[in-house]
Amino acid sequence: MAAVTIVDESTGGAAPSTWTLEFLAERVTVRELIRRRVYQEVGEYHASGGEFRGLVRPTARERALNGSPAGQGRVDWEEQADLAEKAFTRNGFVVLVGDRQLVDLDEEVDLTVHTEVTFLRLVALVGG
């Protein structure tokens, strides 16, 4: 089992947050890394009942089906993982392992206890 450090950063200037994510395998694809991350954050959201702070936001359809405002209600982790994969392929965020940027969902990553994975959310420039 490998426990890796996840670092969430944004080009918007927000302070980075850090947490740990555990994997049974020591080699995973970027797709598995994203999906496991989304699975954990949706599970934590459902357990806490607080505001959803995930890699991507619940869809309008999810919010409408739940009859609740943004950030509340049940969230489908698989739908969120699919959205996160699409966001990755459209450069909505960048995934870095150490100094290396990962660019393909099927690219494999070796995980160790010292692996640091950074999810860098890209914020569009105003007027640009």
Side-chain angles (χ1 to χ4, degrees), residues 11-76:
T11 58
S17 65
T18 304
W19 49 289
T20 302
L21 186 60
E22 295 181 353
F23 289 87
L24 294 175
E26 293 180 357
R27 186 169 185 87
V28 298
T29 63
V30 174
R31 180 184 321 273
E32 291 168 315
L33 186 64
I34 291 170
R35 294 186 77 79
R36 177 67 183 94
R37 179 224 162 101
V38 170
Y39 178 81
Q40 181 165 327
E41 65 193 9
V42 169
E44 289 176 1
Y45 163 71
H46 288 159
S48 72
E51 182 180 345
F52 184 73
R53 297 176 189 258
L55 190 56
V56 293
R57 299 287 180 226
T59 64
R61 183 177 74 85
E62 283 178 309
R63 291 190 306 269
L65 286 173
N66 290 319
S68 59
Q72 297 177 345
R74 299 294 297 171
V75 176
D76 180 342

Side-chain angles (χ1 to χ4, degrees), residues 4-11 19 21 23 28-38 41 55-56 81 83-111 115-122:
V4 302
T5 301
I6 302 294
V7 179
D8 286 336
E9 293 186 12
S10 170
T11 58
W19 49 289
L21 186 60
F23 289 87
V28 298
T29 63
V30 174
R31 180 184 321 273
E32 291 168 315
L33 186 64
I34 291 170
R35 294 186 77 79
R36 177 67 183 94
R37 179 224 162 101
V38 170
E41 65 193 9
L55 190 56
V56 293
L83 291 171
E85 286 179 20
K86 289 176 187 169
F88 174 79
T89 61
R90 290 189 315 261
N91 296 318
F93 62 91
V94 173
V95 177
L96 304 166
V97 174
D99 295 344
R100 186 173 64 119
Q101 180 178 342
L102 306 174
V103 295
D104 186 289
L105 286 170
D106 295 320
E107 190 171 348
E108 292 188 336
V109 180
D110 290 320
L111 304 177
T115 302
E116 184 173 283
V117 179
T118 301
F119 287 83
L120 177 61
R121 292 187 186 134
L122 305 176

